[in-house]
Amino acid sequence: TELIKKQFKSVSVVDCFLAVKYYVADPCSLREELTRYFFFLQVKRDIFQGRIMVTPTSSASLFAYVLQSELGDHVEDDFLPQYVREFEFLPPAVQTGDLEDEAEEVHKSLRGLVPSEAEQKFLEKARWLPLYGVDLHVVKGAAGAPLQIGISQVGIAVFQNATRVSFFHWPKVSKVQFKKKFFIVYVIISGEISKPEVIKYKFMTHSERSAK
């Protein structure tokens, strides 16, 4: 173990952030309220940074839960017009005025929820987003096509153009290995009549370190 200040010998000013390393399948099951709050902050930041993409049907309600957590009940006389635009929920290129207006309307309907309840509702919804808890890595497929591999607590997903094209559940993965720049997944395929066989999927990363 080494002190943080000794790890940045040539840097005068450093901003350090605490971050979630392992995403639990159900963050609402976390017992400590403070732990759930930190988890809420992490997922909220992941959405803003584009690491977790929200669906059109869930974005307004998730945004509204953030507003309820930070501002409390919507009181008409206490808020300036278009107050929602002061909040950054999605990446700037994605957050629209229509979304902000819709989030404001949903915020009005959340009267009575205390911050911890709003954060719980947020996590209940966010845990079902396609990229929740997924650690994405840029790779190339067998034909050289650009892909992304997502590692999560339930398995390995393969994305192409932001669309999931394959998914390997951990119980079906017999082995994972790296060889130089290649990341290799061995998957058990069960046929209805034939015996199970192991299929090898090979992906090329940009470095040996990435493959590891």
Side-chain angles (χ1 to χ4, degrees):
T1 303
E2 187 178 5
L3 293 176
I4 292 178
K5 65 180 181 180
K6 290 185 178 181
Q7 300 178 39
F8 301 98
K9 296 178 181 179
S10 60
V11 180
S12 57
V13 179
V14 178
D15 290 329
C16 295
F17 299 91
L18 293 174
V20 174
K21 185 174 183 180
Y22 301 109
Y23 286 75
V24 294
D26 182 8
C28 300
S29 64
L30 296 169
R31 295 183 179 181
E32 294 292 333
E33 183 177 327
L34 183 60
T35 304
R36 287 198 306 274
Y37 175 66
F38 286 144
F39 223 96
F40 161 77
L41 293 178
Q42 175 71 59
V43 176
K44 182 164 70 81
R45 187 171 69 175
D46 285 347
I47 291 174
F48 174 69
Q49 293 177 340
R51 294 184 61 194
I52 296 179
M53 291 178 288
V54 297
T55 59
T57 55
S58 63
S59 54
S61 56
L62 287 169
F63 197 172
Y65 288 133
V66 171
L67 297 172
Q68 184 69 18
S69 169
E70 299 194 18
L71 299 177
D73 290 342
H74 181 281
V75 179
E76 200 73 42
D77 295 336
D78 290 349
F79 296 117
L80 295 172
Q82 301 178 338
Y83 68 96
V84 180
R85 299 187 181 181
E86 298 179 7
F87 288 82
E88 296 176 325
F89 177 64
L90 295 179
V94 181
Q95 184 164 316
T96 63
D98 289 342
L99 170 62
E100 292 163 349
D101 293 340
E102 190 176 350
E104 180 177 351
E105 291 303 313
V106 179
H107 181 208
K108 294 176 182 178
S109 69
L110 300 179
R111 181 181 295 273
L113 280 184
V114 299
S116 60
E117 291 173 330
E119 292 150 14
Q120 180 101 350
K121 294 285 187 182
F122 175 93
L123 292 174
E124 285 174 0
K125 201 171 189 68
R127 64 184 284 246
W128 297 109
L129 294 172
L131 291 181
Y132 166 80
V134 176
D135 185 19
L136 287 176
H137 301 268
V138 177
V139 298
K140 289 184 179 180
L147 302 170
Q148 286 181 307
I149 286 183
I151 313 297
S152 73
Q153 71 275 3
V154 293
I156 301 174
V158 182
F159 296 86
Q160 186 172 29
N161 298 324
T163 300
R164 194 172 78 178
V165 294
S166 299
F167 186 80
F168 312 126
H169 287 279
W170 286 121
K172 294 291 185 180
V173 177
S174 64
K175 184 170 67 172
V176 174
Q177 69 174 172
F178 62 91
K179 188 175 294 184
K180 294 186 177 179
K181 291 185 178 182
F182 290 95
F183 176 74
I184 307 167
V185 184
Y186 295 84
V187 181
I188 301 171
I189 304 297
S190 301
E192 295 183 1
I193 301 177
S194 60
K195 293 182 180 180
E197 60 176 323
V198 177
I199 305 296
K200 180 172 72 173
Y201 294 89
K202 196 173 183 180
F203 306 94
M204 187 174 73
T205 67
H206 67 272
S207 67
E208 291 187 32
R209 184 176 181 180
S210 297
K212 293 180 182 181

